[in-house]
Amino acid sequence: QVQLVESGGGLVQPGGSLRLSCAASGSIFSSYTLDWYRQAPGNERELVATISSGGRTNYADSVKGRFTISRDNAKNQMSLQMNSLKPEDTAVYYCKAVQSRNGIIYQYWGQGTQVTVSS
């Protein structure tokens, strides 16, 4: 079992930056694949960025070059550095931890943090 708590959301002007954090507890954090998702009003939840247990990263095309996902296994934390923010980045951002054990997928979600990009 993993418990996830996001923080760092808020209101920022276009072109600004925010850093989201996700604190984990309850299990061996280092063995999980970690994701950031976002969901804007009226839209489906979309995958923004992924970091594997080995540190490999992938990004949605819409955020490549602007967002950076990272993890600190010693602190049981993951982060999403968001630069050059655009109004279309406005959404609730969620962190997710995923692990496959004995053919079963275990996934855990945080409660979400609001990011609003507006002048």
Side-chain angles (χ1 to χ4, degrees):
Q1 189 80 10
V2 175
Q3 294 81 42
L4 303 173
V5 179
E6 300 99 336
S7 61
L11 174 64
V12 64
Q13 292 187 343
S17 298
L18 277 177
R19 185 177 182 87
L20 304 182
S21 295
C22 178
S25 62
S27 188
I28 303 174
F29 184 74
S30 61
S31 62
Y32 285 77
T33 292
L34 305 174
D35 304 322
W36 283 101
Y37 281 75
R38 66 186 180 187
Q39 187 168 20
N43 290 358
E44 294 186 353
R45 194 170 295 189
E46 64 171 345
L47 178 62
V48 174
T50 295
I51 186 166
S52 71
S53 57
R56 181 177 297 178
T57 59
N58 271 298
Y59 298 91
D61 287 342
S62 58
V63 307
K64 277 181 183 177
R66 300 189 298 122
F67 290 11
T68 302
I69 189 172
S70 60
R71 65 190 297 164
D72 185 337
N73 292 331
K75 295 182 179 179
N76 273 12
Q77 287 185 345
M78 62 183 285
S79 298
L80 185 69
Q81 178 66 42
M82 304 185 295
N83 299 328
S84 302
L85 283 161
K86 305 174 181 179
E88 51 263 43
D89 295 318
T90 295
V92 178
Y93 284 71
Y94 300 88
C95 61
K96 176 183 167 184
V98 184
Q99 186 186 55
S100 176
R101 295 196 303 268
N102 300 317
I104 300 173
I105 304 296
Y106 296 85
Q107 52 185 0
Y108 307 96
W109 292 88
Q111 83 288 351
T113 186
Q114 177 70 47
V115 171
T116 302
V117 185
S118 175
S119 55

